[in-house]
Amino acid sequence: MMTMKMKQAKPYYDVKNSSKRICVLQGGTRSGKTYSIILALIEFAYKNKGKGLYITIARKTFPSLRGTSMRDFFDVLNKENLYSEANHNKSSALYELYGNIFEFISVDQPARVRGRKRDVLFLNECNEFSFDEYTQLALRTTYKIIIDFNPSEEFHWLYTQIIDADRNDVDFHISTYKDNPFLEESTISEIERLKEVDENLWRVFGEGQRGVATETIFPSFSIIDKVPENAKPIALGLDFGFSADPTSLVKIYKHDLDLYIDELLYEKGLTNQDIATKIKHLGIDRSIEIFADSSEPKSIEEIFRMGGINIKGAKKGPDSVRIGIDVMRRHKLNITQRSVNAIKEFRNYKWIKDKNNEITNKPIDAYNHSIDAVRYVCLNKLMVSYSGKYYIS
């Protein structure tokens, strides 16, 4: 180990041939950015054997870090027969390789952000970081900074402070799924079908270009008379409410990349017994799952104990709201015309704007009861894995 002899994805060569202090990789989904950067960093460690260099790999949260770049790092080590238990300090998230140290940190660990100096810094999904978090890490990096991200936001400090700024220490590269020679045809087909789903999603995830800002989260969806016969039911979503908020129950169907949403219940003042009674009156087959807000385990258990209801808590994880929205937006959404409350929510669900009137990636906590119910189903039935990296099924 380690000079890559077989052809790699474009981002690997972008990093390897970068001569500037900062190397920025903007790209669409499955372009191979993260894995390529990991390969390049391991090769860098090999070429600098025994120098005691510190290479930091960072992400916004540790669960996301563990499920993406950290997973890729150890995947490469295992494939190349480089992994050694003796070199792995799991409690401190450190790994010694070729006499150099790889450390894995997240910015939800402030002490690590403002900790020791490093030689190389890799910021995975850097658009998740604030400018202050980036600055704290960059000031403690002596040699090289590598950044990767999906350009889902039109306005971001990455553009104003780095990419579009008049500075001579930045290499900037764009990659797409077409630059990754290892993708299967089925994956390519799924990505290219985004053209039919959402023009902005295709621009970001297909072409690797900046998204166009719009505060409306679901700017386009279809209103249909009824769910078509070729659509298969996948699950129901339940969002609890009582006095201030309604309880919302929706049934979700799927055909290809089309999702069909049918509102079954949207009502305030319902007790758990009321909810169970209404679900039974709807004649919902016990074989179909109902995913409910897992923050209310007592309500879920009470409804379950009333018998005949296949209800369970929706599995969540870091950034589950944002990721759930993203999964929903990767499908063509169709809502039945009788789902009047769901239609109203989808028309009014918007991103928060910051003090500069720029759109953030956090939604306003309003008009989201039916939407949350749909999101629970998407997170639990339309993702192969919940690990920060996710693929629609």
Side-chain angles (χ1 to χ4, degrees):
M1 184 64 179
M2 170 167 251
T3 298
M4 298 297 168
K5 295 181 179 179
M6 64 181 293
K7 181 177 174 60
Q8 299 296 328
K10 175 180 177 291
Y12 164 78
Y13 302 102
D14 292 337
V15 174
K16 183 177 179 179
N17 298 325
S18 174
S19 60
K20 305 291 180 67
R21 169 173 163 79
I22 302 174
C23 179
V24 181
L25 304 184
Q26 171 181 303
T29 189
R30 307 305 303 277
S31 68
K33 299 185 298 298
T34 302
Y35 201 87
S36 294
I37 293 168
I38 294 296
L39 288 176
L41 289 176
I42 291 175
E43 184 172 323
F44 173 80
Y46 173 76
K47 290 181 177 179
N48 290 274
K49 287 182 179 178
K51 292 186 178 180
L53 301 178
Y54 259 75
I55 301 167
T56 298
I57 299 174
R59 192 157 177 184
K60 182 73 172 182
T61 69
F62 201 81
S64 296
L65 174 71
R66 186 168 51 237
T68 53
S69 46
M70 183 183 288
R71 181 187 62 188
D72 287 348
F73 176 80
F74 289 107
D75 182 52
V76 174
L77 293 191
N78 286 318
K79 285 182 178 178
E80 297 289 336
N81 294 316
L82 292 172
Y83 181 77
S84 169
E85 189 81 26
N87 293 343
H88 192 181
N89 185 332
K90 295 181 180 179
S91 61
S92 299
L94 301 174
Y95 191 88
E96 183 178 347
L97 182 66
Y98 300 127
N100 300 298
I101 300 296
F102 283 80
E103 67 167 352
F104 297 87
I105 68 171
S106 58
V107 295
D108 56 7
Q109 302 170 299
R112 300 289 293 276
V113 173
R114 292 170 171 79
R116 56 158 292 135
K117 290 182 180 179
R118 65 191 58 84
D119 299 279
V120 178
L121 172 66
F122 168 32
L123 295 175
N124 185 211
E125 299 294 348
C126 190
N127 52 323
E128 297 175 352
F129 292 67
S130 70
F131 182 59
D132 179 65
E133 290 164 343
Y134 163 79
T135 301
Q136 293 296 329
L137 291 164
L139 289 175
R140 292 168 174 80
T141 303
T142 59
Y143 172 59
K144 187 82 172 180
I145 299 171
I146 303 169
I147 290 168
D148 79 349
F149 71 106
N150 289 119
S152 56
E153 299 165 70
E154 184 177 13
F155 305 106
H156 196 277
W157 62 261
L158 272 167
Y159 297 120
T160 57
Q161 301 298 324
I162 296 180
I163 297 170
D164 295 337
D166 185 19
R167 47 191 304 173
N168 58 11
D169 61 345
V170 177
D171 279 329
F172 176 64
H173 305 275
I174 296 177
S175 60
T176 75
Y177 67 99
K178 293 181 179 180
D179 296 310
N180 186 348
F182 304 108
L183 291 185
E184 298 178 351
E185 284 300 320
S186 59
T187 302
I188 293 172
S189 295
E190 289 292 340
I191 294 171
E192 292 183 341
R193 290 186 68 177
L194 289 175
K195 295 177 189 178
E196 307 167 16
V197 176
D198 186 299
E199 181 180 346
N200 198 44
L201 281 182
W202 167 246
R203 177 178 173 82
V204 173
F205 294 105
E207 299 179 317
Q209 300 295 327
R210 298 186 197 185
V212 177
T214 172
E215 61 184 312
T216 302
I217 297 175
F218 299 101
S220 62
F221 59 88
S222 298
I223 299 174
I224 58 174
D225 292 335
K226 62 179 181 179
V227 177
E229 293 183 1
N230 61 357
K232 296 182 179 179
I234 54 175
L236 285 85
L238 175 64
D239 189 55
F240 293 108
F242 189 64
S243 57
D245 298 321
T247 293
S248 176
L249 179 69
V250 295
K251 190 171 184 179
I252 310 301
Y253 301 75
K254 185 174 185 290
H255 178 68
D256 292 334
L257 274 186
D258 281 81
L259 280 189
Y260 299 90
I261 300 163
D262 191 28
E263 180 182 295
L264 303 181
L265 179 64
Y266 196 94
E267 189 175 340
K268 293 182 180 179
L270 297 181
T271 65
N272 291 334
Q273 185 170 353
D274 293 332
I275 295 170
T277 299
K278 287 180 178 290
I279 289 174
K280 290 178 181 179
H281 285 168
L282 287 167
I284 296 168
D285 192 292
R286 182 169 169 73
S287 64
I288 189 167
E289 298 167 298
I290 301 175
F291 291 98
D293 186 353
S294 57
S295 66
E296 296 203 28
K298 182 179 178 181
S299 294
I300 292 170
E301 184 63 23
E302 285 182 358
I303 294 171
F304 175 76
R305 291 186 183 186
M306 291 174 191
I309 299 174
N310 186 9
I311 186 171
K312 57 189 67 176
K315 294 179 181 178
K316 300 179 182 180
D319 302 324
S320 62
V321 173
R322 180 182 59 81
I323 292 174
I325 290 171
D326 197 9
V327 175
M328 291 169 66
R329 292 180 64 194
R330 288 179 176 227
H331 294 80
K332 183 178 180 181
L333 300 176
N334 305 271
I335 307 175
T336 59
Q337 63 179 1
R338 72 173 186 172
S339 305
V340 292
N341 299 290
I343 291 169
K344 181 178 180 181
E345 288 192 3
F346 274 85
R347 283 175 173 162
N348 289 279
Y349 195 43
K350 297 180 179 181
W351 299 113
I352 294 172
K353 288 186 176 182
D354 63 18
K355 62 182 180 181
N356 298 316
N357 205 37
E358 293 184 355
I359 295 168
T360 70
N361 63 353
K362 295 180 180 180
I364 297 172
D365 187 18
Y367 296 104
N368 57 355
H369 310 295
S370 294
I371 288 174
D372 282 351
V374 177
R375 186 168 55 81
Y376 300 149
V377 174
C378 288
L379 285 172
N380 287 266
K381 298 296 286 187
L382 298 181
M383 295 174 63
V384 175
S385 65
Y386 190 85
S387 59
K389 278 186 175 177
Y390 56 92
Y391 312 112
I392 56 176
S393 61

